[in-house]
């Protein structure tokens, strides 16, 4: 439990350095760009799930290999 918290804190420091308020231009657009990219990713996942749900079902195989589909502990039903 301690290691993930330390890792998140270490990663939060440079992210805060990039996204803190009061940055000079063009760095002051980074928070909006970050929010926009997150929104695009969420919208893409929702559209992909509606149009091609089988693509999301096979997504673990992209990272873990084809064998992961047979041993998936939380299959999408």
């Amino acid at each position: 439990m301690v290691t993930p918290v330390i890792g998140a804190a270490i990663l939060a420091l440079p992210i805060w350095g990039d996204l803190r308020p009061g940055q000079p231009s063009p760095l002051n657009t980074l928070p909006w760009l970050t929010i926009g990219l997150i929104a695009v990713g969420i919208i893409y996942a929702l559209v992909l799930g509606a149009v091609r749900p089988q693509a999301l079902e096979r997504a673990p195989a992209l990272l873990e290999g084809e064998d992961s589909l047979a041993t998936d502990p939380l299959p999408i039903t």
Side-chain angles (χ1 to χ4, degrees):
M1 183 70 183
V2 174
T3 304
V5 171
I6 292 172
I10 289 172
L11 289 174
L13 291 172
I15 291 172
W16 171 250
D18 287 341
L19 301 179
R20 70 177 180 262
Q23 294 275 24
S25 182
L27 297 177
N28 60 352
T29 60
L30 282 176
W32 297 111
L33 179 62
T34 302
I35 292 169
L37 289 174
I38 291 170
V40 167
I42 291 171
I43 291 168
Y44 178 73
L46 292 172
V47 169
L48 186 64
V51 175
R52 292 181 39 206
Q54 69 277 10
L56 291 181
E57 291 173 7
R58 297 193 45 78
L62 295 173
L63 298 174
E64 302 168 5
E66 291 294 326
D67 296 337
S68 68
L69 295 176
T71 59
D72 188 4
L74 299 171
I76 299 173
T77 55

